[in-house]
Amino acid sequence: MQYNSSLSMWYTFGIMAFVVLLTPIFYETLTFLLGVKCFLPNNHLVWEATRPISDCGFCRNVDGPLILKNMSREELAPYAYSTLPIVIKNAVSHWPATSLLSLEMLKEIYGRYPEALDEGCHFLNFHSDLKSIRDVFNMSPERANLSVGSTWYVGFSNCHLGVLEELRKLYGRPHFLPIDAELSNIDYVFLGYEQGAYMHLDYIHRLMWQAQLKGNKSWILAPTPECDHVCQSFSFYVEPGDAVLVDTRIWYHGTSIPKGQFALTIQSEYS
């Protein structure tokens, strides 16, 4: 009996020591993995699991976007901070970016600021095999125009001040936004073919505007799962020169581009 008691004591002590030793190792490993983009891309799984439950009022009785003609900020004011998706036709068709901005021009601009390629700006490869801005600019002309290879679509932020200043020479502050709206210091570029962005929420702090510069794009919006019983999904189509305002923090959204077309958009935030 004494032998069994001693054995049990040592067994219990061994388990406790094992737990004490492995707990910090497990914690450090989990912390590391959560920070690795390849393990949990941008921690979207964590964000989705911890996001607040939606108030379904944002999507109830909404079956499509509000489509408006190009308008002034005074005319848009009643809708500027609405959760209702909005398409403003021909809102940015006067921007030089609609005719000048291209993959080649982006490559030239970044070529003047090579350090921007290593700046650590946010990069989204979606379904493509391109893993960085450098990969995008290193594509052969044939791959870039989809003559060879698989389709591609990416997005990346302009967090380098020099690049941002050069790009903003091609487009200004959206004239339809409220004059007192606070704009982001970071813009995003989305470009590529066909597949577009998969369905997702944006875990950002402000409302989003997106300017369609080249190509056409189809959007699909869906309510959060807890609102499926009272709300519906819908899709809409935008053309070059159109602007889109969607609260992408509460609307699941995805995009696609007609086969063979190249699309390029600029996106940013406001509050």
Side-chain angles (χ1 to χ4, degrees):
M1 292 292 293
Q2 186 175 3
Y3 172 77
N4 289 338
S5 297
S6 298
L7 183 62
S8 177
M9 181 184 68
W10 281 108
Y11 180 75
T12 302
F13 177 77
I15 291 176
M16 292 175 63
F18 182 77
V19 170
V20 169
L21 287 172
L22 283 192
T23 295
I25 296 174
F26 174 77
Y27 174 79
E28 292 296 331
T29 302
L30 182 61
T31 301
F32 170 77
L33 289 175
L34 288 175
V36 176
K37 291 183 178 180
C38 294
F39 179 73
L40 282 180
N42 304 311
N43 292 341
H44 271 70
L45 294 180
V46 175
W47 292 334
E48 174 61 22
T50 57
R51 69 170 177 81
I53 298 298
S54 297
D55 173 1
C56 300
F58 79 92
C59 59
R60 187 178 282 108
N61 299 322
V62 177
D63 58 6
L66 178 64
I67 299 178
L68 304 170
K69 294 181 179 179
N70 189 12
M71 58 197 329
S72 67
R73 62 170 56 98
E74 290 77 20
E75 293 171 315
L76 184 68
Y79 313 105
Y81 295 100
S82 169
T83 58
L84 182 65
I86 298 171
V87 176
I88 309 175
K89 303 298 292 183
N90 296 313
V92 301
S93 56
H94 61 289
W95 285 0
T98 58
S99 59
L100 297 178
L101 194 58
S102 63
L103 175 60
E104 292 73 23
M105 176 172 273
L106 285 167
K107 188 174 180 179
E108 290 175 9
I109 292 174
Y110 274 83
R112 294 195 283 272
Y113 303 92
E115 69 277 8
L117 296 173
D118 302 312
E119 195 79 9
C121 301
H122 192 195
F123 184 83
L124 298 162
N125 71 323
F126 297 109
H127 301 287
S128 73
D129 59 353
L130 304 170
K131 304 302 182 185
S132 67
I133 302 177
R134 195 183 300 276
D135 285 349
V136 175
F137 295 153
N138 284 341
M139 284 190 293
S140 68
E142 294 76 19
R143 173 74 197 283
N145 65 26
L146 221 58
S147 297
V148 299
S150 58
T151 186
W152 59 273
Y153 182 84
V154 300
F156 51 87
S157 64
N158 302 315
C159 62
H160 186 278
L161 184 59
V163 171
L164 185 63
E165 288 180 348
E166 294 243 16
L167 286 174
R168 286 187 173 178
K169 293 175 184 177
L170 302 175
Y171 58 89
R173 176 191 176 99
H175 67 275
F176 47 81
L177 293 181
I179 194 168
D180 58 349
E182 181 180 335
L183 302 187
S184 173
N185 290 324
I186 295 177
D187 296 344
Y188 276 78
V189 176
F190 293 92
L191 71 165
Y193 295 85
E194 297 180 17
Q195 55 197 354
Y198 46 72
M199 292 293 286
H200 65 287
L201 289 178
D202 289 339
Y203 296 92
I204 56 180
H205 299 295
R206 293 179 277 198
L207 294 167
M208 180 279 295
W209 63 265
Q210 185 175 114
Q212 189 71 28
L213 303 180
K214 293 185 182 298
N216 300 312
K217 182 183 286 186
S218 292
W219 285 69
I220 181 168
L221 299 187
T224 48
E226 60 269 24
C227 298
D228 280 343
H229 64 294
V230 293
C231 300
Q232 60 181 305
S233 302
F234 57 88
S235 60
F236 59 92
Y237 193 69
V238 294
E239 302 170 292
D242 292 348
V244 178
L245 280 67
V246 176
D247 191 342
T248 54
R249 302 168 298 180
I250 56 177
W251 285 101
Y252 277 90
H253 56 287
T255 60
S256 63
I257 301 153
K259 188 174 178 63
Q261 282 195 29
F262 173 77
L264 190 156
T265 60
I266 292 290
Q267 177 178 306
S268 196
E269 302 169 22
Y270 71 98
S271 59

